[in-house]
Amino acid sequence: MKFDINIIREVYSSFDKRVDKARKILNRPMTYAEKILYAHLHDNINIQSYQRGNDYVNFSPDRVAMQDATAQMALLQFMIAGKDQVAVPSSVHCDHLIRADINADADLKAALSTNKEVYDFLQTVSDKYGIGFWKPGAGIIHQVVLENYAFPGGMMVGTDSHTPNAGGLGMIAIGVGGADAVDVMTGIPWELKMPKLIGVKLTGKLNGWTSPKDVILRLAGILTVKGGTNAIIEYFGEGTSSLSATGKATICNMGAEVGATTSLFPYDSEMESYLKATGRSEVAEAAKKIADYLKADKEVYTVPEKYYDRIIEIDLSTLEPYINGPFTPDAAQPISEFAKIVKEKGYPRKMEVGLIGSCTNSSYQDMSRAASIARQAIKKGLKVKAEFIVNPGSEQIRYTTERDGIIDDFKAIGGTIMTNACGPCIGQWKRHTDDPEKRNSILTSFNRNFAKRADGNPNTHAFIASPEIVTALTIAGDLCFNPLTDSLINENGEAVLLEEPQGESLPIKGFEVENAGYLPPAGNGKNISIHIDPTSQRLQILTPFLPLSINDFSDMPLLLKVMGKCTTDHISMAGPWLRFRGHLENISENMLMGAINSFNNKTNSVLNQENGNYDTVSAVAKAYKNKGISTIVVAEENYGEGSSREHAALEPRFLNVKVILAKSFARIHETNLKKQGMLALTFANKNDYDKIKEDDRFTIKGLENFAPGKNLLIIIKHSNGTKETIEAIHTYNDLQIEWFKAGSALNYLSKLKK
């Protein structure tokens, strides 16, 4: 048994009592998110009413999940935490390191050879510390978690920003950095700022070409990439019960694109059906006994504006398909207007590649509905005009869809079936093209579409839609094709229409799989030794960062002033760099190489104030570090948007960047910076960003009295000798200040043990 029913029963045994106790203290009805949060308080004795968006609270999550790219650094940190076993059920999923190139068989074989050292390390560490291990090819972390581990009312963390996918089964699932995962795996309290609550009321019912993906694509347009920061999105209303569990998961998954802490749906019969279909009838029966607690109180639904910080309403009956992009997931366009926008903005109209799958849309329902469009292409004599790539979400999905003929439907229109892995969605795509910098358009059912993300080409215009829409436009090869209204000319010269997609939310014959790819941990790992070759280019033992001195924050040269969007992809690129995720020194070579320097409008080109020359960001940072000089990075809004990768915080810390000064931060990245002993500050006056010049030096004042709620001053010294003083805001609490003083959260934890 991959999931532990005893732990789930233990959670449920006290869930109602904990909620009742919290409701009495709050003296008001509770939302569903609040019920789960208060039921998972680390201190269930001294409960108080916590202020949303302000109070830091300690929680005890039920489980941890890690994907192979982030698990390396998380487990390297766990190894020095001094524990014999993980304190909560944990799992590692090998999904990120497989590169999409030829097809599933060839690519998996290549990955097993190329990444053998890393896979062996992850499996050995998993065995030693009691962690479940999902082999390469088993599937994408979030699909596998949904199929095996997620449960209503539970709370988990995962070292991937799309961990909220489990909200499709009514679970609070939060993306974190590796250091946060280590907290949970070592059994210490896990800290989170009590999230605000955004209530999204769904009315009506989806129909025709519209899918669950369109709900979140529409919501992304409303909230933008930062509108959900430090908030949980809780869906409610009669429309929720019409969505399948996997459809709900799609919506929750992409809540990460609006910056939400997580998203979730209340428990219903669709979730019950999915639990039973995936072999977890025991979980469904246990959840049924406390079903009234696995949703918001009735009074909340009656007057929701009293209990949520913001209400958004979406009518599923009138919602139309959306296509979002390019370059940002919140550029939301309804399909009825999309062709006009493509023409007006001059986007490349020819669609070159359609890609479906990924952790966002790889369920049986997604595959079956897309396959119904593929079958029409054959039946109606249509020649597919664009390349078509499919990444199944798990071996269970691949095996079942192959049994039911769905895989053959995709192959019949020229589709290439890739490994059950992330692949192109995270830049693991060896795209076959004669011009790697060609201006072109692709359409995916993925969740992100930042520049260079899929194929490394800054001129690839990546758009996001549902698998059904992607399949239809792949057949047309034209971004301006609207399958709801437009016809296509078949090989006989006839104009034909595509009919609405059809599919099943669950397979009629049930799910089936021969080998899911799961390896349980060894019973006793005490005698298992872990060896890392000191000459390895893939793995490197971590050396604790040194504690910081106030003198480190004086006369710091500017390393980089970032212009515009700066995601974790810009800070620490994925793709080919994923191979160094377990080697901090090597991966630090890519630090901020994708960020645009506001002074020369170039990427990876910054001034070294010591010699007056320009070089790569990492080269200049290393030159300063070698001279014992600390540096500062200045940025704009929502710095660190995107994935949970803590490498985007580890790399600057390793290369002696001491301060990130931004207009605002994405939640996960701000936490990651704090965990690694960095100083994350925001402008008190955002216009002060414009005062900063390329050859400025900075001194932070007030650190000797560093305290919660007390702003710091920054003295900017210009090269002409003049000085300016600006004010900077921080969000550090007492514990986080101790992390800072110790040099990192892990250093502080080690200090407590002595």
Side-chain angles (χ1 to χ4, degrees):
M1 184 179 292
K2 304 176 193 73
F3 67 93
D4 192 332
I5 186 63
N6 293 325
I7 288 177
I8 297 173
R9 285 174 177 154
E10 184 180 335
V11 172
Y12 285 171
S13 68
S14 62
F15 194 90
D16 54 349
K17 300 179 188 67
R18 285 173 173 250
V19 171
D20 288 342
K21 183 177 180 180
R23 189 189 293 111
K24 187 175 181 180
I25 290 170
L26 296 177
N27 195 31
R28 61 168 174 79
M30 298 175 72
T31 69
Y32 181 33
E34 288 179 312
K35 290 180 180 181
I36 300 177
L37 290 170
Y38 277 88
H40 285 83
L41 290 173
H42 185 75
D43 181 358
N44 191 45
I45 305 300
N46 303 304
I47 300 177
Q48 65 185 73
S49 177
Y50 295 103
Q51 185 179 348
R52 298 176 194 165
N54 186 64
D55 291 341
Y56 283 94
V57 185
N58 289 330
F59 295 99
S60 294
D62 303 310
R63 87 162 22 253
V64 174
M66 297 165 279
Q67 41 96 337
D68 50 357
T70 51
Q72 296 170 64
M73 201 58 70
L75 294 177
L76 284 166
Q77 292 176 84
F78 182 80
M79 285 165 56
I80 58 178
K83 297 290 184 178
D84 292 331
Q85 283 230 319
V86 290
V88 301
S90 303
S91 55
V92 168
H93 304 259
C94 296
D95 61 357
H96 271 57
L97 300 181
I98 304 170
R99 193 178 192 191
D101 181 8
I102 301 170
N103 57 43
D105 291 339
D107 296 347
L108 180 57
K109 184 178 179 181
L112 289 170
S113 174
T114 303
N115 303 311
K116 184 180 187 305
E117 179 184 11
V118 174
Y119 292 149
D120 288 348
F121 166 75
L122 292 173
Q123 186 176 338
T124 303
V125 175
S126 296
D127 262 349
K128 182 172 181 62
Y129 295 111
I131 299 169
F133 183 76
W134 291 83
K135 297 189 294 185
I140 305 172
I141 177 172
H142 310 304
Q143 180 67 29
V144 173
V145 166
L146 195 73
E147 292 174 356
N148 296 277
Y149 299 130
F151 65 96
M155 184 180 193
M156 69 172 286
V157 299
T159 61
D160 190 279
S161 57
H162 293 106
T163 299
N165 191 77
L169 276 178
M171 187 177 204
I172 280 189
I174 301 175
V176 298
D180 273 357
V182 171
D183 285 353
V184 180
M185 290 190 292
T186 55
I188 68 171
W190 175 66
E191 183 187 69
L192 177 73
K193 183 181 285 187
M194 183 60 82
K196 293 183 178 181
L197 298 177
I198 298 173
V200 177
K201 184 178 182 180
L202 301 181
T203 60
K205 188 175 182 179
L206 296 175
N207 60 82
W209 283 87
T210 311
S211 76
K213 183 66 166 280
D214 299 304
V215 176
I216 188 59
L217 293 178
R218 171 72 181 111
L219 187 63
I222 296 170
L223 287 174
T224 76
V225 291
K226 57 179 290 189
T229 303
N230 290 321
I232 289 178
I233 300 174
E234 183 175 326
Y235 294 86
F236 67 98
E238 71 272 17
T240 63
S241 61
S242 67
L243 301 172
S244 67
T246 53
K248 293 178 173 78
T250 290
I251 295 168
C252 292
N253 175 293
M254 214 176 145
E257 272 53 71
V258 298
T261 301
T262 194
S263 305
L264 81 162
F265 281 80
Y267 185 62
D268 62 16
S269 60
E270 287 291 334
M271 295 185 192
E272 180 182 5
S273 297
Y274 185 77
L275 285 168
K276 290 179 177 178
T278 51
R280 291 173 287 172
S281 294
E282 291 174 282
V283 179
E285 290 304 315
K288 196 171 185 178
K289 293 176 182 177
I290 60 164
D292 287 343
Y293 287 84
L294 300 177
K295 57 185 177 183
D297 290 331
K298 291 180 181 178
E299 297 90 338
V300 173
Y301 295 146
T302 303
V303 196
E305 58 272 14
K306 285 182 62 176
Y307 303 101
Y308 296 103
D309 298 293
R310 179 178 178 180
I311 299 289
I312 296 169
E313 187 166 337
I314 296 176
D315 180 4
L316 302 181
S317 299
T318 59
L319 183 67
E320 64 177 299
Y322 270 72
I323 298 179
N324 289 24
F327 307 129
T328 185
D330 59 350
Q333 296 111 173
I335 198 165
S336 60
E337 300 174 14
F338 187 61
K340 179 184 176 183
I341 293 169
V342 169
K343 295 171 185 175
E344 286 179 349
K345 298 198 173 182
Y347 298 145
R349 177 171 175 171
K350 180 184 177 184
M351 190 182 133
E352 305 221 348
V353 190
L355 305 99
I356 66 171
S358 87
C359 65
T360 314
N361 281 109
S362 57
S363 67
Y364 187 88
Q365 183 178 39
D366 291 324
M367 296 292 115
S368 64
R369 281 173 63 88
S372 75
I373 305 301
R375 286 193 295 273
Q376 289 186 54
I378 300 298
K379 182 179 178 181
K380 297 175 184 284
L382 291 167
K383 185 177 180 180
V384 178
K385 300 292 180 62
E387 185 181 355
F388 190 43
I389 294 174
V390 180
N391 277 88
S394 70
E395 177 58 15
Q396 179 169 269
I397 290 294
R398 187 210 63 79
Y399 189 95
T400 304
T401 53
E402 184 173 61
R403 179 201 67 191
D404 293 348
I406 290 172
I407 294 294
D408 285 339
D409 291 332
F410 293 143
K411 289 180 177 178
I413 63 168
T416 300
I417 312 302
M418 296 296 186
T419 317
N420 312 320
C422 303
C425 183
I426 58 159
Q428 284 285 56
W429 182 21
K430 187 178 180 180
R431 187 173 178 185
H432 301 163
T433 175
D434 294 331
D435 184 358
E437 294 189 358
K438 177 183 178 182
R439 194 168 181 270
N440 72 103
S441 291
I442 65 173
L443 183 62
T444 82
S445 68
F446 304 161
N447 41 46
R448 292 200 175 121
N449 58 347
F450 305 140
K452 298 185 181 181
R453 181 174 173 89
D455 60 1
N457 180 0
N459 299 313
T460 292
H461 292 59
F463 298 89
I464 305 170
S466 69
E468 303 94 310
I469 293 296
V470 173
T471 306
L473 269 65
T474 299
I475 293 167
D478 181 3
L479 278 184
C480 293
F481 173 64
N482 181 351
L484 285 71
T485 57
D486 300 344
S487 60
L488 295 170
I489 304 300
N490 68 10
E491 293 185 299
N492 297 322
E494 303 164 327
V496 297
L497 290 168
L498 292 175
E499 299 158 24
E500 295 174 353
Q502 304 292 325
E504 302 291 338
S505 60
L506 295 169
I508 295 173
K509 298 179 185 177
F511 286 110
E512 193 175 347
V513 65
E514 282 187 349
N515 182 359
Y518 175 71
L519 293 176
N524 186 345
K526 283 188 177 181
N527 296 323
I528 295 175
S529 60
I530 300 167
H531 173 71
I532 295 177
D533 184 345
T535 65
S536 171
Q537 295 301 301
R538 299 291 300 271
L539 298 165
Q540 183 183 50
I541 294 289
L542 287 179
T543 302
F545 293 125
L546 294 175
L548 301 172
S549 163
I550 291 177
N551 294 331
D552 294 332
F553 297 85
S554 296
D555 205 36
M556 297 177 292
L558 176 71
L559 179 63
L560 172 65
K561 181 181 177 183
V562 179
M563 180 175 67
K565 184 187 283 284
C566 192
T567 71
T568 49
D569 279 38
H570 294 87
I571 305 167
S572 177
M573 285 191 176
W577 288 95
L578 284 170
R579 68 187 186 276
F580 297 129
R581 284 286 181 87
H583 197 295
L584 182 54
E585 185 175 358
N586 282 348
I587 199 167
S588 294
E589 295 290 332
N590 79 0
M591 185 184 74
L592 285 160
M593 68 186 300
I596 298 174
N597 184 344
S598 67
F599 298 108
N600 59 15
N601 206 33
K602 293 181 179 179
T603 58
N604 213 23
S605 175
V606 296
L607 174 68
N608 183 333
Q609 292 187 32
E610 295 293 294
N611 58 24
N613 297 326
Y614 284 82
D615 207 334
T616 65
V617 182
S618 62
V620 173
K622 281 191 288 185
Y624 285 136
K625 179 182 178 180
N626 290 338
K627 291 186 176 183
I629 299 172
S630 304
T631 57
I632 181 173
V633 170
V634 174
E636 297 202 64
E637 298 283 3
N638 210 27
Y639 181 80
E641 167 194 344
S643 81
S644 69
R645 68 191 71 156
E646 66 181 337
H647 301 78
L650 281 162
E651 292 174 33
R653 181 71 170 90
F654 178 74
L655 291 179
N656 221 31
V657 178
K658 294 297 195 297
V659 183
I660 307 292
L661 174 62
K663 292 182 180 178
S664 65
F665 286 100
R667 175 193 65 84
I668 300 177
H669 188 63
E670 183 179 21
T671 300
N672 286 343
L673 289 169
K674 292 177 178 180
K675 285 279 185 177
Q676 301 306 332
M678 297 277 290
L679 191 58
L681 304 175
T682 55
F683 291 99
N685 180 352
K686 293 182 181 182
N687 292 329
D688 287 342
Y689 170 90
D690 298 322
K691 295 178 179 178
I692 292 165
K693 297 177 172 54
E694 189 172 26
D695 49 5
D696 284 347
R697 288 182 175 260
F698 301 76
T699 297
I700 311 297
K701 290 293 187 180
L703 288 175
E704 62 276 5
N705 298 307
F706 196 15
K710 188 175 182 180
N711 290 354
L712 299 172
L713 296 178
I714 301 178
I715 299 173
I716 307 171
K717 184 171 71 175
H718 301 304
S719 60
N720 62 6
T722 62
K723 294 181 180 180
E724 294 185 74
T725 300
I726 65 172
E727 194 171 353
I729 301 168
H730 72 84
T731 60
Y732 288 73
N733 61 21
D734 288 323
L735 176 61
Q736 293 166 350
I737 289 172
E738 291 302 318
W739 298 345
F740 173 75
K741 290 177 179 178
S744 73
L746 200 56
N747 284 0
Y748 177 70
L749 179 61
S750 299
K751 183 180 173 183
L752 290 180
K753 294 176 184 174
K754 294 178 180 178

